[in-house]
Each structure stands twice: as C-alpha cells, then as structure tokens.
Amino acid sequence: MFREVKPKSARTARILAKRAPLPNENPKTAIFLRGIASSSLINTLLTDLYSLKRPLAIRFTKKNSLHPFEDASSLEFFSQKNDASLLCFGSHSKKRPHCLTFVRCFGGKVLDMMEGIVQQSTARTLSQFGGPKCRVGTKPLLSFSGMQFDEDGGGRKFTLAKSMFIDFFRGGEAKEVDVEGLQCLISFAAAEESAEGEKKDMIYMRCWRLVTRRSGQRLPRVEVEEMGPRIDFRLGRVREADEGIWKEAQKRARTSEARPKKNVETDIVGDKMGRIHLGIQYLDELQTRKMKGLKRSRDTLAEDDREEEEEDIDLVSSSNGTSEDEIGSHEIDSKRPRLGS
C-alpha cells in the first residue's frame, strides 16, 4: 500500500490536494523518453506516437540511463515531476533490438509495464505515407480484432496490451462527438506466429484516416486511408500489477448522484412503480391482525362446551342401542325399594 504523507505547510497541502484522487479524473498525459542506446527507427516512432498523442503528451529528447524492469525509480520520478501516469520508453540493444516499453503509473508508483519489440522489416513511419494527416487533439477510434485479446483466448499478455493501448490513445472523455471530428482510426490485430520452432505473440498496429465522400444519399460514403505509423510488435517481457494496488486503482469515488434502485420504475405520467418478488405463501400459517371484536367471550365458550358434552352423550347412547327415555326409566326403577312377597 502507499505511504500517507502528512503536509507540514500550507504549500505542501495544496500540492497534495492537487495530486489527490478526483471523482472525475483528468485526461492522462504520456511522457516519451529514449535510452542511452536508441536506434533511429525508435526515435522516429517515438516522435510519431507523440504526434498522435498530442496535446496530452510530453517529449524528452535527451538520453536517459534507464532500465525499467530492473529499476523503475527514475520512471516514477518523471511521473511525479510531470504529473503524468503514462510513459513510453525507447531503447535498442543486441538482445532486444528496437524495443518500446509502455508503462502505467498509479499514485506516483509504477503499476504495470509491457515490452514490445518492433519488427524493423515491416515498420513504416508517419512521413513515409503521403496525404494529409489528422488534426492535433483528434479523439481516435480504437479497434481490437483477434480472440487473443479476450481473457479466455490469448492469456494475460494480450489482455494487458489491450488495456495499455486503450489508456494510451483514448484521450479525454467526451459526452458528445461531432461526426466531422471522427477522422482517425487505430486498429490492433493479434496473432500468434511460429518461426524456427519459436512461438511469437504479435500485435499489428495500423493507423487510418477516415474520409467522407459524396454518395448521392443522406449518409455519406466513408473510406479509410492509411496515414501511418505502421508498427508490428512482438510482445516481450511483462510486469503485471500487484493485486492490492490493482484493486486500489479500480476504486471509484462516491458521487452525489443517486444510485439506481432495483425493481423501481417511473412511468410516463411520473408515478413511481415498484415490483416485489414474493416466495411461496401458506395462508394457513399467515399471521393476521388480532381484533378484540373478533374474540369469543367466556359465556359463548361455556355454551359451546355444553353443546359438545351433549353431543358426546348422544353418540354414546346411540352406540349402546338405548334411548334417553329408557335410560331415565331404569334410573327410576333402581331408586324404588323392593317389597317382600
């Protein structure tokens, strides 16, 4: 978990208040860096990605002695200093040629990172494509094709890559978008290639420009033109986020907006309608309200007891085959004294 810093002055308190989480976060800014050893291809691709990300981007051209997977403290310093949660680091070595490392930060600390090895034979820069380009600040459309991007399809690597690319290129949230503003489409296609007995996880990135033509109808005809850059990544090392930090990063602040209530609707008139789901009801066990007017008095209870006793006597006499008159005559005869003969 993160260490809580208590402000010692009013200036420090204002700085910490600006860094504190917000109910609606600001658009994420990305920093583009280069290492000590970097190829011309990587430098050009960093510039092209920076142009796609503008104005939410910061570009540093000086060489930096950084090793993201060995020591990420320098990346955390850049993130905190520039208030940016996304970083793209370019490097080149014999073991990992033309390497781009994408990093995400949370709370000034590295959350996760992913390494992509650019295929030099198929890479094309932005300047190698003719025609007009998209305007600065255009919100792109993102397309992901391939079952590998699903959690059950290609594993954790492709899922992390999809989440990383969405954070990098989605820009700020927009409630309404003008159709004329939809000028850029960035597509990512996933594939698994086998070369020389080695399995390679590949991601093909293409950038398209949307052009509307006259169709003679109400809706225009839409065409796409590739504007660059064209990058083919081979996924390399991956550092996943810690489970506790990931849960902390996924939390959302409570707002004053009323939460939707289940099974409660409002009709056209404005009346609130509710739906209640009941289980099986047994009416004989249902507890009803007890009223004094429905209670039986003691006199009625005594009369009911007498009637029950008389009914019992009638049943006994009928079972013995004698009537009430016979029973009474026997009782009278038994009371008379016997006379001697």
Side-chain angles (χ1 to χ4, degrees), residues 275-281:
R275 181 180 300 174
I276 301 175
H277 299 275
L278 298 177
I280 300 175
Q281 288 186 339

Side-chain angles (χ1 to χ4, degrees), residues 30-35 37-38 42 45-46 49 66-72 75 85-93 96-105 110 112-118 160 164-165 168 231 233-239:
I31 299 177
F32 295 88
L33 304 165
R34 55 176 293 193
S38 179
I42 288 297
L45 291 179
L46 286 175
L49 294 176
L66 298 177
H67 300 280
F69 285 89
E70 284 74 18
D71 184 13
L75 295 177
S85 58
L86 302 174
L87 297 99
C88 183
F89 177 74
S91 61
H92 178 72
S93 64
R96 295 180 179 86
H98 313 294
C99 178
L100 287 176
T101 305
F102 297 89
V103 184
R104 281 192 297 189
C105 297
V110 171
D112 51 9
M113 61 179 68
M114 178 194 68
E115 194 176 64
I117 309 298
V118 179
L160 177 60
M164 188 80 69
F165 287 136
F168 253 86
I231 308 174
F233 294 103
R234 177 174 61 85
L235 295 181
R237 294 177 294 178
V238 170
R239 176 180 169 183

Side-chain angles (χ1 to χ4, degrees), residues 144-196:
F144 294 89
S145 59
M147 61 174 296
Q148 289 83 1
F149 285 118
D150 300 332
E151 293 185 2
D152 301 333
R156 181 60 184 166
K157 271 190 176 183
F158 287 96
T159 308
L160 177 60
K162 179 181 178 180
S163 176
M164 188 80 69
F165 287 136
I166 289 176
D167 273 353
F168 253 86
F169 297 106
R170 69 176 180 179
E173 296 184 0
K175 296 181 179 179
E176 297 180 355
V177 178
D178 189 3
V179 180
E180 294 295 332
L182 301 176
Q183 299 179 355
C184 181
L185 169 64
I186 304 177
S187 63
F188 300 91
E192 295 180 356
E193 296 181 356
S194 297
E196 300 178 358

Side-chain angles (χ1 to χ4, degrees), residues 33-52:
L33 304 165
R34 55 176 293 193
I36 293 179
S38 179
S39 62
S40 60
L41 175 62
I42 288 297
N43 295 336
T44 308
L45 291 179
L46 286 175
T47 305
D48 294 347
L49 294 176
Y50 165 73
S51 63
L52 289 177

